[in-house]
Amino acid sequence: MGILSRSPTKSRRPEDHGMKLLATALISVTFGILIGRSFPSLWITKASQPKNLLHSVALSHLDSDPAAPTQAIDNSKACSERLPPGIIASESDLYLRRLWGNPEEDLKNKPRYLVTFTVGYNQRHNIDACVKKFSDSFTIVLFHYDGRVSEWDDEFEWSKNVIHISALKQTKWWYAKRFLHPDIIAPYDYIFIWDEDLGVEHFDAEEYVHMVKKHGLEISQPALDPEKGCTWQITKRREHTEVHKETDEKLEWCSNPPRPPCAAFVEIMAPVFSKDAWRCVWHMIQNDLVHGWGLDFALRRCVEEPAYEKIGIVDSQWIVHQFIPSLGNQGKEENGKSPLEGVRDRCHMEWKMFESRVDNAEKEYFKSLQVQS
């Protein structure tokens, strides 16, 4: 026994075998960790993932340089870049769909135009008259600033077929910035963004679109009844004409080429935009300036020059601006000022702020061009 225990050969074999097993185990664990890091969660989810998606993930890892440092992810692109191109749906619409049946059979027709009204319940009868002027070619959206939505369904049958969006005491430009992104309303050729206090007795929506297309208008509005009060000369209706694009105003306002408010100008109460013009206008709408004052003087920036050829007033389809200060009454009495006065003061303040931002942005832009040259 003593001789056996001293034998160098017999005593080393169990030790060497154990070390080999331990080394093999460590190598296996290390290899497994490396594989897991290279293909995160791929094996666990393989059974539930589409084959083409797995193929895309695998290729992305095979093509990557394992020695390259980790790059910070651009979150604005990361979501779409993780997907195979064939599954990306970058645009949407406001078409209402069913909860049952084949999705391909949901829509009997696809409206080509979008009209929105920013409304309060007190103006429901006026909106009823407006909505009835728009055919099935239009998707209709009501933005409710007073929170009263369900009552419309009780009173108007058409209300059950339009889209209702409610947020207390907000303006149409607040709604437009948040719900009318160009990629969300991509199918619509023209977008009407209208107030609630418009008389439409002499207005036909289909004929209006026809006039806009005929005269190549990217931004337009119906003419206003000159007898009911107008803020600007250019928006007044002219008899015996289909469209006008210029007018005579104060001499100091009209330069050459003509600029707002003498040309290339529509007011913000009833503008109509082509989808291309709206993509630009949406980006120009400021997130915190909700009344839109000053925007009408800058709309010309969103069409190709000469802008005065692409922006106009449609005389053959005209409306009445009723000047009902309903949104002003949604303000708050502060510092001895009535709700309407407070709202009006902010409108003027926003106009100055918007103009200042545009001027500063242009200065910075031209400065950057000089640096590059």
Side-chain angles (χ1 to χ4, degrees):
M1 294 286 296
I3 295 174
L4 291 174
S5 64
R6 292 189 186 104
S7 169
T9 305
K10 299 268 184 186
S11 61
R12 287 195 187 105
R13 280 179 184 172
E15 264 180 59
D16 291 346
H17 184 63
M19 291 299 293
K20 289 180 179 179
L21 289 175
L22 180 60
T24 302
L26 289 173
I27 291 172
S28 300
V29 170
T30 302
F31 184 73
I33 292 173
L34 291 174
I35 291 296
R37 289 181 176 178
S38 299
F39 302 96
S41 70
L42 180 60
W43 315 116
I44 296 175
T45 60
K46 181 175 182 179
S48 60
Q49 297 292 342
K51 291 182 179 180
N52 61 341
L53 183 56
L54 290 175
H55 180 67
S56 174
V57 173
L59 286 178
S60 68
H61 284 288
L62 289 173
D63 292 341
S64 63
D65 181 5
T70 303
Q71 299 293 324
I73 297 176
D74 182 354
N75 289 328
S76 65
K77 299 180 180 178
C79 292
S80 61
E81 290 183 350
R82 291 173 187 153
L83 299 172
I87 194 62
I88 294 175
S90 61
E91 296 180 344
S92 187
D93 57 63
L94 297 178
Y95 301 148
L96 298 177
R97 295 185 175 272
R98 304 175 303 175
L99 301 180
W100 66 94
N102 188 337
E104 296 180 357
E105 300 173 355
D106 281 347
L107 305 174
K108 295 181 180 179
N109 70 302
K110 295 182 179 180
R112 296 179 57 193
Y113 317 114
L114 174 68
V115 56
T116 73
F117 295 96
T118 302
V119 304
Y121 187 65
N122 289 341
Q123 298 302 320
R124 61 192 181 279
H125 296 297
N126 203 51
I127 294 299
D128 177 48
C130 289
V131 167
K132 290 176 179 177
K133 290 289 184 173
F134 293 90
S135 69
D136 291 340
S137 298
F138 293 80
T139 293
I140 297 176
V141 179
L142 299 188
F143 296 128
H144 298 267
Y145 60 76
D146 62 353
R148 300 179 66 179
V149 178
S150 59
E151 294 99 321
W152 292 75
D153 284 355
D154 297 335
E155 195 159 349
F156 306 110
E157 189 63 28
W158 54 258
S159 176
K160 300 172 184 177
N161 298 315
V162 307
I163 297 171
H164 298 268
I165 297 174
S166 177
L168 288 175
K169 298 186 178 183
Q170 302 303 315
T171 72
K172 69 177 179 181
W173 301 111
W174 183 92
Y175 290 109
K177 189 65 174 177
R178 287 150 184 82
F179 298 102
L180 301 182
H181 187 281
D183 290 344
I184 295 296
I185 59 172
Y188 303 106
D189 294 335
Y190 292 96
I191 298 94
F192 294 59
I193 302 182
W194 282 18
D195 289 351
E196 61 182 338
D197 58 340
L198 304 176
V200 292
E201 181 181 354
H202 305 283
F203 178 81
D204 180 282
E206 295 283 356
E207 184 61 24
Y208 183 89
V209 171
H210 172 71
M211 286 291 117
V212 166
K213 291 179 179 179
K214 178 180 177 180
H215 292 273
L217 301 180
E218 294 292 316
I219 300 176
S220 63
Q221 77 162 77
L224 299 178
D225 185 344
E227 302 300 324
K228 302 297 182 180
C230 295
T231 303
W232 303 103
Q233 182 71 27
I234 193 171
T235 61
K236 293 181 179 180
R237 176 180 176 249
R238 298 179 184 177
E239 296 185 4
H240 314 300
T241 63
E242 292 181 342
V243 165
H244 72 269
K245 301 176 182 178
E246 298 181 46
T247 193
D248 294 325
E249 273 282 6
K250 295 180 180 178
L251 183 61
E252 62 270 23
W253 289 356
C254 300
S255 58
N256 187 22
R259 289 287 188 264
C262 305
F265 180 83
V266 301
E267 290 190 73
I268 58 174
M269 100 281 288
V272 180
F273 305 95
S274 71
K275 67 160 60 177
D276 290 337
W278 177 247
R279 181 168 290 276
C280 171
V281 172
W282 184 90
H283 282 89
M284 189 166 59
I285 297 172
Q286 304 293 287
N287 199 54
D288 59 327
L289 306 184
V290 297
H291 288 289
W293 281 35
L295 188 64
D296 38 15
F297 280 83
L299 292 177
R300 63 183 177 85
R301 302 169 186 273
C302 286
V303 300
E304 293 183 0
E305 292 291 352
Y308 58 84
E309 290 292 338
K310 307 294 194 307
I311 301 177
I313 311 298
V314 178
D315 296 290
S316 62
Q317 300 298 314
W318 49 286
I319 59 176
V320 176
H321 190 199
Q322 299 166 341
F323 289 98
I324 300 175
S326 52
L327 190 60
N329 295 330
Q330 297 293 308
K332 182 179 180 180
E333 185 175 351
E334 287 184 341
N335 302 321
K337 292 184 177 181
S338 68
L340 180 58
E341 288 176 318
V343 170
R344 185 56 62 99
D345 285 349
R346 172 152 179 168
C347 289
H348 287 288
M349 181 193 305
E350 288 194 3
W351 192 348
K352 293 179 181 179
M353 293 175 68
F354 180 74
E355 287 185 331
S356 176
R357 291 181 187 183
V358 172
D359 290 342
N360 290 337
E362 283 193 335
K363 290 177 183 177
E364 291 297 322
Y365 175 70
F366 288 121
K367 186 186 298 183
S368 67
L369 292 181
Q370 294 174 354
V371 172
Q372 292 175 10
S373 61

